[in-house]
Amino acid sequence: MAEGEVVRVITKERYLLIKVPIEEVSINPAIKELLEKAEREGIETVFHRFLLQQPQCGFGLLGICCRNCNMGPCRIDPFGYGPKRGNCGATADTIVARNLLRMIAAGAAAHGDHCREVAIVLKLAAEGKAPYKIKDTKKLIAVAKTLGIPEPEKKKPEEVAKEVAEIVLRDFGKQDEEPMRVTLGYAPDARKRVWTKLGVMPRAADREIVEIMHRTHVGVDADPLNLLLQGVRCSISDGWGTSLMATEMQDILFGTPKPVTTEANLGVLKEDTVNIIVHGHVPVLSEKIVEAATSKEMLKLAEEVGAKGITVAGMCCTGNEVLMRRGIPPAGNFLMQEFAVITGAVEAMVVDYQCIMPSLPDVAACYHTKIITTMPIAKIPGAIHIEFHPEKADEVAREIVRVAVENFKNRVKEKVHIPKYKMKVVAGFSVEAIVEALGGTVEPLVKLLRDGTIYGIVGIVGCNNPKVRHNYSHVTLAKELIKNNVLVVGTGCWALAAAMHGLLRPEAAELAGDKLRAVCEKLKIPPCLHMGSCVDCSRILNALKALSEALGVDIPDLPVAGSAPEWMSEKAVSIGTYFVASGVFVHLGTVPPVLGSPLVTKILTEDVEKYLGGKFYVEPDPRKAAKTILEVIEEKRRRLHWPY
């Protein structure tokens, strides 16, 4: 949205609605159609609220405000005329570092709780106490061996699954100084040596989060560098710990993804079926929703209420989960959740946790849609709460689907408008699927990297953010990279953006450079590979480990980079930090709240590279970012004495 844009204020009932400059909001035409519909019907969306927040707090944008105690809130004057310290004496450097650490702690906690949920379900399933089955015993054995469980192939799968779950749960709360068992088993040896030398090997997932909260309490740690090192340790417990194991255990329970073909965007909803959207991040319920929605009982009920079936569509990372394992079509990413309701065609949006907008019940109140919360930690005023318990997963799923089906008769035809836009998608490229496509080993990929056929690999991840044009940076950056023969892999909201805009089709190879296009056409794959939800960034870590070990070099030496062009969540801060800790050059497309401290900014964008091999780079323009990323890859190739 252009600065200084003249907007029109529309009085509608008891609130004000800002007229949004529609062309500047999103590159998705479905959003444009529904934004016009929303304004005609007086519906406030995330884009209206963003404009109403302008101008945003300058102290907050710079990270120099502190409310960690009741002497405050305190803020530092960035121009040097006002306060230089908070009431306790904390400087801008300390305040910025503390604030950043708390973002890392929250992000790691979100991934950790996700992992804990899956570990508990895996344990219950192994004990026969929950209606889940182990779908990938091969993956189970591989995980068990990595964790050091002796001779897992000689034990019953249920026994091995229980041992895996117990190791993971122990890694959350153990009280000794030994590193997390997951980190010891999965992280590359070269990285573990670096982390041990710096004193940032994680000891227990919950402990690292608690230590951040303690260190950032008034009167504890005031050294910016010491604070940031604890942030690194906490992020490693996420990336090489809880996130990684959430992915591994979900593969064990629900199957390791293989390429599937479907469609993406709001056009996947149907006018003549019951439409259910599953939204959030953890698949333990959404998997059961899909099962219930395809059951004879529910399909018969749908027919009785006048529907021609039941359509389940995904939103955000729960959408990614059921996409890559079930072929369920995704309706959209983070900024599109309200617009799915605005179609007037959704009977129920079923949410678990993370990235759920509290505004959903307000939007749904203008239509017939029921917002159904399911987790005790994520209730929203105005929503229906049907609580999920893994022991009763089938029963809960059937109840939810029944509520949705019975709501079909309340749909108001005059309010229904489903944009026709949808795009073919090939998704579900787990590391195992990629290796299988290459013939069972990473050696062909190593060869392609060595000779420059694939110039480099970039992982693009992260959220949407109303500060930037929806999906524009995601798509533009990916296109710039693939046309320069860089293979793009990614997760989360980027993956759904790429899906909706045609980059996850094999036909997208025509947008790639000649060398990459030839590879894609031979393997019949897209130039951008969907690797899953945001917790599945750990798949990218595992891929980097495999490449570094095959080449005999550390991860910082590889011609790779990472990017989060439209990031907004605290999870993204933790993800970015653990990639830097892993030795990856990480681009951020929206500015983090650290510029109020030149010292912290310098540590993150320069100094950290000397110790960890990776660093952060901030550039809002995706084309400029692509140019810099290509230069970084070129330099890494030059140092490896590869063609550049």
Side-chain angles (χ1 to χ4, degrees):
M1 300 172 198
E3 289 188 11
E5 176 77 31
V6 177
V7 296
R8 180 162 56 90
V9 179
I10 305 170
T11 303
K12 178 71 177 180
E13 296 173 354
R14 285 180 291 176
Y15 61 86
L16 296 178
L17 183 64
I18 300 296
K19 182 74 174 177
V20 171
I22 291 175
E23 292 301 320
E24 299 176 25
V25 162
S26 175
I27 62 172
N28 186 343
I31 290 288
K32 297 175 186 178
E33 280 189 18
L34 291 172
L35 193 52
E36 290 176 342
K37 181 177 187 284
E39 293 188 345
R40 287 196 306 270
E41 298 176 353
I43 308 300
E44 180 186 272
T45 71
V46 59
F47 298 111
H48 299 100
R49 293 190 296 274
F50 177 72
L51 284 182
L52 286 167
Q53 289 288 338
Q54 304 309 307
Q56 291 180 303
C57 172
F59 296 105
L61 290 171
L62 295 174
I64 48 175
C65 55
C66 178
R67 54 180 180 81
N68 291 5
C69 81
N70 206 36
M71 289 191 290
C74 298
R75 78 271 187 269
I76 305 299
D77 183 350
F79 304 107
Y81 300 111
K84 296 181 180 179
R85 291 178 178 266
N87 288 332
C88 73
T91 64
D93 297 329
T94 298
I95 290 172
V96 168
R98 285 176 175 172
N99 288 342
L100 183 65
L101 247 65
R102 288 195 167 207
M103 293 182 78
I104 293 172
H111 285 149
D113 241 14
H114 178 155
C115 176
R116 191 185 342 259
E117 182 104 35
V118 180
I120 289 170
V121 170
L122 179 62
K123 187 171 186 288
L124 289 171
E127 294 171 342
K129 296 177 181 178
Y132 295 90
K133 295 181 180 179
I134 295 166
K135 288 193 176 178
D136 193 336
T137 54
K138 182 179 178 181
K139 183 69 173 271
L140 172 64
I141 298 303
V143 169
K145 287 182 176 179
T146 303
L147 294 176
I149 295 174
E151 300 185 318
E153 65 278 1
K154 295 182 180 179
K155 303 175 183 177
K156 292 181 179 179
E158 291 76 15
E159 182 183 348
V160 179
K162 185 177 179 181
E163 286 188 70
V164 167
E166 288 175 344
I167 287 171
V168 173
L169 291 170
R170 195 177 306 120
D171 262 358
F172 276 101
K174 67 185 187 65
Q175 301 302 311
D176 57 43
E177 296 298 310
E178 292 301 309
M180 291 171 65
R181 189 159 166 185
V182 172
T183 309
L184 284 174
Y186 278 87
D189 290 340
R191 288 288 91 193
K192 287 184 287 189
R193 288 192 291 269
V194 169
W195 299 335
T196 300
K197 184 177 180 181
L198 285 175
V200 296
M201 277 291 285
R203 301 154 296 182
D206 288 348
R207 179 175 180 179
E208 306 310 347
I209 294 166
V210 168
E211 185 163 310
I212 280 182
M213 300 309 292
H214 183 191
R215 286 194 191 209
T216 56
H217 187 278
V218 61
V220 189
D221 200 344
D223 184 326
L225 180 58
N226 203 42
L227 284 161
L228 292 173
L229 285 172
Q230 176 58 21
V232 168
R233 178 156 59 181
C234 185
S235 76
I236 296 169
S237 78
D238 176 358
W240 291 98
T242 57
S243 279
L244 191 153
M245 284 311 301
T247 295
E248 299 287 74
M249 291 185 294
Q250 285 170 182
D251 285 354
I252 290 167
L253 279 170
F254 308 125
T256 301
K258 295 180 179 180
V260 294
T261 301
T262 185
E263 295 173 316
N265 213 337
L266 287 165
V268 303
L269 301 175
K270 298 178 182 177
E271 291 187 4
D272 56 0
T273 69
V274 173
N275 291 311
I276 301 173
I277 289 184
V278 290
H279 175 23
H281 283 76
V282 66
V284 292
L285 174 60
S286 55
E287 284 278 332
K288 291 297 184 180
I289 295 288
V290 174
E291 287 180 12
T294 54
S295 68
K296 291 181 180 179
E297 176 190 1
M298 290 301 147
L299 290 173
K300 184 175 184 296
L301 183 60
E303 184 180 347
E304 290 173 359
V305 300
K308 294 182 179 179
I310 302 173
T311 297
V312 179
M315 184 69 62
C316 270
C317 280
T318 288
N320 274 314
E321 295 285 358
V322 292
L323 162 63
M324 62 185 173
R325 295 191 180 90
R326 294 273 192 166
I328 296 298
N333 50 15
F334 173 69
L335 287 181
M336 296 176 67
Q337 56 191 278
E338 292 171 315
F339 293 93
V341 176
I342 292 168
T343 65
V346 174
E347 275 59 59
M349 182 175 285
V350 186
V351 304
D352 45 71
Y353 46 56
Q354 298 172 25
C355 300
I356 315 298
M357 290 187 181
S359 60
L360 284 172
D362 295 331
V363 178
C366 301
Y367 303 94
H368 77 299
T369 306
K370 294 184 184 297
I371 306 299
I372 302 175
T373 57
T374 59
M375 297 296 179
I377 65 169
K379 295 182 179 181
I380 306 174
I384 298 170
H385 188 71
I386 302 175
E387 192 153 311
F388 169 75
H389 297 282
E391 299 91 337
K392 297 181 178 180
D394 290 331
E395 179 183 330
V396 173
R398 283 194 299 271
E399 181 183 358
I400 289 170
V401 174
R402 182 182 299 277
V403 168
V405 171
E406 292 177 347
N407 194 31
F408 180 78
K409 60 182 179 290
N410 297 318
R411 187 189 290 187
V412 181
K413 290 183 179 180
E414 293 75 18
K415 288 190 173 184
V416 173
H417 176 76
I418 301 173
K420 302 303 180 185
Y421 303 101
K422 56 184 178 180
M423 181 65 67
K424 176 184 172 183
V425 176
V426 178
F429 287 89
S430 60
V431 175
E432 291 86 347
I434 293 172
V435 171
E436 184 178 336
L438 293 169
T441 173
V442 296
E443 287 305 320
L445 181 56
V446 170
K447 181 178 182 298
L448 293 169
L449 277 171
R450 278 184 185 275
D451 65 20
T453 302
I454 293 178
Y455 196 64
I457 301 173
V458 173
I460 309 182
V461 305
C463 330
N464 298 132
N465 192 323
K467 288 183 176 180
V468 297
R469 193 179 181 193
H470 172 243
N471 286 350
Y472 170 75
S473 294
H474 282 320
V475 173
T476 302
L477 179 63
K479 285 182 176 179
E480 290 294 311
L481 293 171
I482 64 175
K483 79 179 185 182
N484 284 281
N485 297 304
V486 172
L487 178 66
V488 173
V489 300
T491 63
C493 284
W494 170 84
L496 297 177
M500 290 183 284
H501 295 280
L503 295 179
L504 300 189
R505 303 173 302 147
E507 295 85 350
E510 66 187 18
L511 301 174
D514 292 343
K515 295 178 180 180
L516 178 59
R517 181 169 67 246
V519 173
C520 292
E521 289 174 348
K522 180 179 179 181
L523 296 176
K524 298 179 181 180
I525 61 172
C528 298
L529 302 182
H530 174 284
M531 295 191 78
S533 66
C534 59
V535 80
D536 293 328
C537 289
S538 56
R539 295 193 198 277
I540 301 175
L541 292 181
N542 277 332
L544 294 177
K545 176 186 178 182
L547 286 172
S548 68
E549 290 179 345
L551 285 162
V553 300
D554 196 1
I555 291 175
D557 300 319
L558 296 173
V560 301
S563 174
E566 301 181 23
W567 77 275
M568 64 85 196
S569 80
E570 292 161 318
K571 292 182 297 177
V573 181
S574 182
I575 291 168
T577 305
Y578 71 61
F579 270 104
V580 167
S582 300
V584 178
F585 176 88
V586 174
H587 160 249
L588 302 175
T590 62
V591 183
V594 299
L595 297 184
S597 168
L599 173 62
V600 171
T601 302
K602 183 175 182 293
I603 290 172
L604 296 174
T605 60
E606 297 179 24
D607 300 347
V608 68
E609 188 174 28
K610 293 182 291 187
Y611 302 101
L612 291 170
K615 66 178 180 180
F616 287 104
Y617 158 69
V618 181
E619 175 52 66
D621 185 325
R623 287 191 170 86
K624 290 181 180 178
K627 184 175 182 296
T628 300
I629 289 170
L630 289 167
E631 290 171 354
V632 168
I633 290 173
E634 178 181 329
E635 176 61 19
K636 290 179 181 291
R637 294 188 65 86
R638 186 185 66 79
R639 291 179 181 177
L640 287 167
H641 306 291
W642 291 358
Y644 60 90

